[in-house]
């Protein structure tokens, strides 16, 4: 389950997301898509959660970018 404010660790990056960096989840769009901020101003792309894999797909007819892949960090604070 992904919630706004969760942090995701980029495991495979590209031009917009760097491997090893963390990124913050924005608004939930629907049961498949949610915003994932790039860390630059309010820029974001739409990420998807599919079979427990989190990714931002970059399908473009004019430019080829690799998809970015993420792992959810443990966002719960310990007591």
């Amino acid at each position: 389950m992904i919630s706004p404010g969760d942090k995701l660790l980029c495991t495979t990056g590209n031009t917009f997301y760097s491997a090893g960096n963390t990124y913050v989840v924005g608004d939930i769009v629907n049961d498949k898509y949610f915003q994932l901020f790039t860390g630059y101003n309010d820029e974001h792309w739409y990420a998807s959660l599919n079979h427990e894999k989190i990714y931002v797909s970059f399908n473009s007819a004019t430019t080829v970018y690799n998809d970015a892949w993420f792992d959810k960090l443990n966002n719960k604070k310990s007591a």
Side-chain angles (χ1 to χ4, degrees):
M1 178 88 180
I2 298 291
S3 300
D6 282 352
K7 293 182 181 177
L8 305 181
L9 174 67
C10 182
T11 58
T12 303
N14 60 19
T15 301
F16 304 101
Y17 297 97
S18 297
N21 287 352
T22 58
Y23 297 92
V24 177
V25 173
D27 292 333
I28 306 300
V29 177
N30 57 33
D31 61 342
K32 186 175 178 184
Y33 296 104
F34 57 90
Q35 293 176 329
L36 187 60
F37 292 105
T38 63
Y40 181 75
N41 294 329
D42 286 334
E43 183 177 290
H44 65 273
W45 290 89
Y46 291 101
S48 185
L49 174 63
N50 186 1
H51 304 290
E52 299 303 315
K53 294 186 179 191
I54 303 166
Y55 63 97
V56 176
S57 181
F58 289 89
N59 295 331
S60 172
T62 58
T63 307
V64 177
Y65 294 110
N66 293 330
D67 292 347
W69 294 87
F70 302 86
D71 284 336
K72 185 176 176 184
L73 296 175
N74 183 356
N75 293 293
K76 297 183 186 220
K77 294 182 181 178
S78 35

